[in-house]
């Protein structure tokens, strides 16, 4: 199913291997993070809007040794990779419409759309009703 939970990364080697080719988005989460649990279904929907990007989930309490995690101050956060290189970190997601910030980052850093129109054209539905209508 397309909007199911993305595959979990279980080790540093798994992270490096799975993000080594093409654009990838890694969702950093933890079981104790309430906002992470609320955001997870929205994150799963991104595969429908941006299918050219690979999506993964990483539990920060399980996977240790990820250098990128040293600069992370809040959860949930997202790591955007292109061909194995970290190109952007999305932090401080707003509780209201958090998908909009991620959509803009995906378009700019992974799909290479630049300028204000990239943010304005971010494909993310404004409401749950739009999600239901497009299903």
């Amino acid at each position: 199913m397309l909007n199911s939970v993305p595959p979990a990364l279980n080790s540093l080697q798994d992270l490096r291997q799975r993000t080594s080719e093409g654009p990838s988005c890694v969702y950093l989460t933890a079981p104790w993070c309430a906002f992470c649990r609320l955001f997870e279904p929205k994150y799963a929907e991104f595969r429908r809007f941006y299918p050219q990007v690979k999506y993964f989930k990483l539990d920060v309490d399980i996977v240790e040794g990820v250098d990128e995690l040293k600069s992370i101050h809040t959860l949930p956060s997202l790591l955007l990779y292109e061909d194995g290189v970290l190109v952007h970190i999305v932090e401080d997601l707003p509780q209201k419409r958090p998908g909009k910030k991620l959509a803009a980052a995906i378009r700019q850093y992974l799909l290479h759309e630049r300028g204000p129109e990239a943010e304005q054209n971010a494909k993310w539905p404004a409401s749950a009703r739009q999600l239901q209508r497009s299903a």
Side-chain angles (χ1 to χ4, degrees):
M1 182 176 208
L2 192 58
N3 64 353
S4 63
V5 177
L9 301 172
N10 299 312
S11 67
L12 180 59
Q13 181 180 356
D14 196 19
L15 169 70
R16 299 289 182 236
Q17 181 181 358
R18 291 189 179 201
T19 60
S20 66
E21 293 182 21
S24 304
C25 183
V26 179
Y27 171 54
L28 304 178
T29 185
W32 46 263
C33 174
F35 185 47
C36 296
R37 290 190 302 270
L38 292 172
F39 181 68
E40 190 166 317
K42 290 177 174 59
Y43 177 68
E45 284 289 324
F46 271 82
R47 288 195 279 184
R48 192 165 84 195
F49 294 100
Y50 302 103
Q52 61 273 53
V53 177
K54 295 181 287 186
Y55 298 90
F56 303 101
K57 177 180 163 181
L58 186 144
D59 184 331
V60 298
D61 288 344
I62 294 174
V63 180
E64 295 179 5
V66 180
D67 291 336
E68 290 87 338
L69 297 181
K70 293 176 184 171
S71 65
I72 301 297
H73 302 290
T74 61
L75 290 178
S77 291
L78 300 112
L79 306 175
L80 303 181
Y81 288 89
E82 185 157 16
D83 297 326
V85 177
L86 179 68
V87 294
H88 189 67
I89 297 174
V90 180
E91 278 190 289
D92 301 320
L93 292 172
Q95 291 197 9
K96 185 177 180 184
R97 299 188 69 205
K100 186 175 181 179
K101 185 172 183 177
L102 177 56
I106 286 174
R107 292 176 66 90
Q108 180 177 354
Y109 294 99
L110 298 181
L111 304 181
H112 306 289
E113 297 179 13
R114 303 280 190 234
E117 60 278 351
E119 187 171 328
Q120 290 174 351
N121 295 329
K123 289 183 186 174
W124 186 250
S127 70
R129 282 193 194 119
Q130 285 179 315
L131 274 176
Q132 292 170 350
R133 281 186 231 147
S134 63

